Amino acid sequence: MSGEKGKEGFLSVLNDQNSLLHKVMTYGVAVVMLIVCFVIARTSQEISAAMGTVLLLFLLYYAFLSRRILETLIFGALMGIVLLYANENLVDGTQEMIYAFMENDDFVWLILNCALLNIMVKLLSATGATRAFGDIIRRKAKGAKHLNLWTWLMQFPMFFDDYMHITVLGGVMTPIYDREKVPREEGAFIIQTTGEPIRALFPFTGWTAFMAGIFVVDGFASSYGEGLMSFIKTVPFSFYCWVAIIGSLLFALGILPRIGGMKHPDPSVYGEVDAIEDEEEEETSPKKRKGNLFDFFAPIVALIIISYLYDWDLVPAMLIILPVLCAYYMLRGIIRTQDIENCIVEGTQEFVYLDILILFSYILGGVLEEIGYTEYLVSIAGQFANPHLLPFLLFVIFCCSEAAMSLNWNLLLIAFPVILPLAVQIGANPYMCAAAMISAGAFGNNFCYVCDFTSLTASSTGLPSAYHAKNCLPYSLIFAGISAVLYLVCGFIF
């Protein structure tokens, strides 16, 4: 009994962020790792790709113990920069990395995408359009089960873009969860869990074009049409995506039980979100909004149509939609210019923290790419040339790497040219192998503490990033375990 109390006391002190023990085990370990990286860089002619595993293990350790995601990414990025530039000029190297990724087209697109979408969410709220939609949900949703089911169903109209799926659903549904006194944690879990999997299953998105292009570039298909058909053939084998979507539905229906933090939600950690006025409050409010359902759905439908014209790119679509939307709302008399300015400032400001997270995530991903870490993982998978086991091994190996640092698109760009010819050569099902890597990427988006999906969902729902990630973790592991079994069994069948 005394031993158990001593263990609980040690863990309590270790998890106390103000304790000396916690600081030694976080900051102390981080400083030691920086020194080790410096020594390795100074004494080695070439950095081994295996150091990528060391970086990822550090990320997992530090994120789980500290629960400070930005700090985790900063230390991980600094370790990578030290490995690359310790023999040169660390200051210049750091500056070069920051400048390079802040000028990166993907980074700029991501920042604009998130900010513009959040501005639209703010506009919907400021005009009362969100309230009009919330009233419909409130009348239909009788309790947590119905509200969670509505959240799950809302993924389908927004399947074409994961960032829109998270930003809009998080911004719209979170105030409804608060008003109905249903834990935000449940909505956040459903929103994040379905965001990437559904996009990997529907052949009508930018992801579809990306995947079809990879099959063509890698020589697996000779035309875009063949590349599209190759991607469609992976859909039945994207087991994690199917399991995650079905699992989140079972959770919404109350069939899948609450596990871990979901059993004991903590409202004290909730951040501020735009509240929805009750009907009684609206009647006494001197600034009553008159937004209706058309004001809510019209911009979303227009966004879908215009983004389709731009190959599912939301940024140019938003640059068209937002000015028109502001003018329309002003003509309707449901918003003022001051409200629009506030929406722009608040919508951008709320994502500054996320922007910094994404920047350091890109830097860390760049370090892993520089040392050839993905190629290293591919070479490990290639050593196990059993055709029946290859899909299972690919899923497990890449799930391990994606759990610490979600590379997703970069993973597929680097791994496909090696894995697909290998699969064909040894007689494995190439579509199942491709689906195994796609599924591993989807798992990383659900599980990884430092993934942009985790941070974006947390920001959109007003939850601390580490707290939200911890709540999702057990479900992601369960879904991954089921998927691994399916790849193991189906590898011998198909």
Side-chain angles (χ1 to χ4, degrees):
M1 182 68 70
S2 60
E4 291 180 1
K5 288 184 177 179
K7 183 178 179 180
E8 290 177 1
F10 172 79
L11 292 176
S12 177
V13 174
L14 180 62
N15 289 318
D16 181 2
Q17 300 198 4
N18 294 318
S19 70
L20 178 61
L21 177 62
H22 179 86
K23 292 176 181 177
V24 169
M25 297 303 292
T26 52
Y27 297 127
V29 170
V31 171
V32 170
M33 289 299 299
L34 284 169
I35 294 173
V36 169
C37 289
F38 181 81
V39 172
I40 291 175
R42 296 288 291 182
T43 57
S44 304
Q45 292 184 345
E46 183 177 353
I47 303 300
S48 170
M51 280 301 298
T53 302
V54 176
L55 290 177
L56 298 187
L57 289 175
F58 170 80
L59 290 179
L60 284 173
Y61 165 81
Y62 202 94
F64 280 119
L65 182 57
S66 72
R67 302 183 300 280
R68 298 186 293 270
I69 303 304
L70 178 57
E71 200 173 284
T72 302
L73 278 172
I74 290 174
F75 276 124
L78 286 176
M79 288 169 56
I81 291 172
V82 168
L83 285 173
L84 294 181
Y85 295 101
N87 286 324
E88 301 174 21
N89 188 313
L90 275 175
V91 175
D92 289 345
T94 303
Q95 183 182 26
E96 179 182 332
M97 291 286 282
I98 293 175
Y99 282 7
F101 285 104
M102 290 189 74
E103 296 173 352
N104 183 280
D105 289 344
D106 290 338
F107 177 75
V108 174
W109 177 88
L110 188 56
I111 299 304
L112 284 173
N113 200 22
C114 293
L116 293 174
L117 281 170
N118 201 40
I119 290 170
M120 189 178 84
V121 170
K122 293 290 182 183
L123 288 170
L124 293 174
S125 177
T127 58
T130 300
R131 178 203 53 77
F133 176 73
D135 286 343
I136 297 294
I137 299 295
R138 188 177 189 179
R139 288 195 289 268
K140 299 291 184 181
K142 305 299 182 182
K145 182 185 296 186
H146 287 88
L147 182 54
N148 285 333
L149 181 59
W150 269 95
T151 303
W152 187 86
L153 290 172
M154 282 296 293
Q155 67 181 305
F156 293 101
M158 302 182 188
F159 72 88
F160 67 95
D161 185 84
D162 40 13
Y163 291 102
M164 178 181 176
H165 171 104
I166 292 172
T167 306
V168 174
L169 270 185
V172 169
M173 298 302 292
T174 301
I176 302 175
Y177 272 82
D178 287 351
R179 190 169 69 173
E180 299 303 309
K181 295 181 172 54
V182 178
R184 289 185 191 181
E185 291 87 341
E186 297 184 9
F189 164 71
I190 294 171
I191 290 169
Q192 175 162 344
T193 301
T194 56
E196 181 67 12
I198 192 171
R199 195 170 62 117
L201 299 179
F202 276 61
F204 309 106
T205 67
W207 172 261
T208 304
F210 170 77
M211 290 303 305
I214 288 184
F215 279 111
V216 173
V217 170
D218 294 343
F220 198 79
S222 58
S223 65
Y224 177 82
E226 286 187 20
L228 177 60
M229 291 306 301
S230 296
F231 168 69
I232 291 174
K233 289 178 182 178
T234 68
V235 170
F237 300 116
S238 293
F239 295 135
Y240 181 87
C241 301
W242 288 110
V243 171
I245 290 175
I246 295 171
S248 60
L249 174 60
L250 296 177
F251 177 90
L253 295 173
I255 299 173
L256 185 64
R258 275 57 180 160
I259 304 172
M262 290 292 188
K263 294 174 65 176
H264 307 287
D266 183 9
S268 67
V269 304
Y270 292 179
E272 291 186 6
V273 295
D274 294 331
I276 299 177
E277 291 182 330
D278 290 326
E279 292 177 3
E280 295 81 1
E281 293 175 342
E282 283 188 19
E283 291 175 359
T284 60
S285 175
K287 297 180 180 178
K288 182 181 177 182
R289 301 297 186 189
K290 298 180 180 179
N292 54 38
L293 284 177
F294 180 82
D295 298 322
F296 180 83
F297 284 108
I300 295 176
V301 172
L303 185 60
I304 294 173
I305 295 172
I306 296 176
S307 63
Y308 170 76
L309 299 177
Y310 284 93
D311 296 325
W312 300 111
D313 190 345
L314 285 183
V315 171
M318 291 298 298
L319 292 175
I320 296 172
I321 289 290
L322 285 178
V324 175
L325 188 62
C326 290
Y328 167 72
Y329 284 159
M330 290 181 68
L331 289 173
R332 285 262 289 119
I334 57 177
I335 201 168
R336 302 168 302 172
T337 54
Q338 183 61 46
D339 297 324
I340 294 174
E341 291 179 9
N342 291 338
C343 290
I344 294 173
V345 173
E346 292 174 8
T348 306
Q349 185 180 28
E350 288 180 0
F351 280 83
V352 171
Y353 175 77
L354 179 63
D355 296 343
I356 299 172
L357 279 175
I358 294 172
L359 174 61
F360 281 100
S361 176
Y362 266 73
I363 292 174
L364 190 53
V367 170
L368 295 175
E369 183 178 351
E370 186 71 23
I371 64 176
Y373 185 63
T374 303
E375 292 91 335
Y376 168 74
L377 292 178
V378 170
S379 68
I380 292 177
Q383 293 175 11
F384 302 93
N386 187 310
H388 304 298
L389 292 177
L390 187 57
F392 167 76
L393 291 170
L394 287 172
F395 179 73
V396 171
I397 290 172
F398 286 114
C399 272
C400 291
S401 68
E402 292 291 289
M405 182 66 196
S406 182
L407 297 173
N408 207 351
W409 290 37
N410 289 331
L411 164 68
L412 302 181
L413 283 171
I414 297 172
F416 264 43
V418 179
I419 294 299
L420 292 184
L422 173 66
V424 173
Q425 182 178 356
I426 67 174
N429 186 322
Y431 305 109
M432 192 185 301
C433 291
M437 290 183 282
I438 293 171
S439 288
F443 166 76
N445 281 331
N446 286 173
F447 180 93
C448 181
Y449 268 53
V450 298
C451 174
D452 55 348
F453 275 66
T454 301
S455 302
L456 181 59
T457 307
S459 297
S460 299
T461 55
L463 295 173
S465 188
Y467 174 77
H468 165 63
K470 183 180 179 182
N471 290 336
C472 295
L473 186 149
Y475 296 100
S476 300
L477 289 176
I478 291 171
F479 298 161
I482 296 172
S483 303
V485 172
L486 289 173
Y487 281 115
L488 183 61
V489 173
C490 292
F492 286 90
I493 298 176
F494 297 98

